[in-house]
Amino acid sequence: SISARAKKIFASAASDRDKVVAQFRDVASMEGNVERGKTAFEEACARCHTPRRKGGRVGPDLSGVNNKSKEELLEAILNPSRAIEPRFVNYVVTAKDGQMYDGVLASETPGAITLRGGSEDDVTILRSNIQEIRASAISLMPEDIEKTLNKQQLADVIAFLRAGL
């Protein structure tokens, strides 16, 4: 019964993101401004996605996304959990003391793992202190960026990304 409830919840969440993408589909036909897009990107995205091959803390290098269509970028921005690159999978770790951690796997040794999240500091957890570790199907990238960026700002960010980082 738990499995059936979880499938229903995840299906609902996925369809909600599809509805948001559909509501914002007209952004792909809007004219974007690269300079405004750079500003919006720096405010909303650069914390995790550092452009120009510097490498973000937890987000992929976006220097090659200029070859993607506006529609593909819009989908990736508004529905980030649809496709997660394996090296950017969000892991959720429950420690034996009940504390929970999440982030991408920054490093791993036989005795410990290090998670990198959105904060400045990585978290290293001894394997002997781990009760459970699991990969999440949900991206670390926020799924509600449309609450931060309006349609014109999204068009501007897409123009900035397509201009070539």
Side-chain angles (χ1 to χ4, degrees):
S1 71
I2 292 173
S3 176
R5 283 187 10 217
K7 286 179 184 176
K8 186 176 179 181
I9 289 169
F10 288 125
S12 172
S15 67
D16 288 347
R17 295 316 305 162
D18 290 341
K19 289 176 187 173
V20 170
V21 172
Q23 290 170 350
F24 281 77
R25 189 67 63 200
D26 59 331
V27 168
S29 62
M30 294 172 65
E31 190 70 31
N33 177 284
V34 174
E35 285 305 313
R36 287 192 319 247
K38 180 180 180 187
T39 301
F41 180 90
E42 288 171 352
E43 291 173 3
C45 313
R47 179 174 166 210
C48 296
H49 298 283
T50 306
R52 292 189 174 75
R53 301 182 188 270
K54 293 178 186 172
R57 281 200 42 81
V58 296
D61 177 6
L62 300 179
S63 60
V65 300
N66 59 322
N67 63 353
K68 294 198 180 283
S69 71
K70 290 181 178 182
E71 292 80 7
E72 288 172 315
L73 289 171
L74 183 65
E75 175 81 32
I77 292 168
L78 295 176
N79 194 359
S81 294
R82 177 163 291 213
I84 303 171
E85 290 183 42
R87 62 191 171 131
F88 295 104
V89 168
N90 182 33
Y91 287 91
V92 179
V93 175
T94 305
K96 289 181 179 175
D97 65 3
Q99 186 146 358
M100 295 185 73
Y101 306 91
D102 73 324
V104 296
L105 194 60
S107 67
E108 165 174 41
T109 67
I113 63 166
T114 300
L115 296 177
R116 177 167 293 150
S119 69
E120 292 298 316
D121 298 323
D122 292 350
V123 176
T124 299
I125 307 143
L126 295 175
R127 288 189 185 270
S128 61
N129 292 337
I130 295 175
Q131 177 179 330
E132 177 187 39
I133 182 169
R134 62 182 169 79
S136 174
I138 298 174
S139 173
L140 276 173
M141 184 170 163
E143 289 195 334
D144 58 356
I145 195 76
E146 72 277 2
K147 293 177 182 173
T148 303
L149 300 175
N150 62 37
K151 287 184 176 187
Q152 184 59 59
Q153 290 170 316
L154 279 169
D156 294 342
V157 167
I158 289 170
F160 170 68
L161 293 173
R162 288 180 46 88
L165 301 176

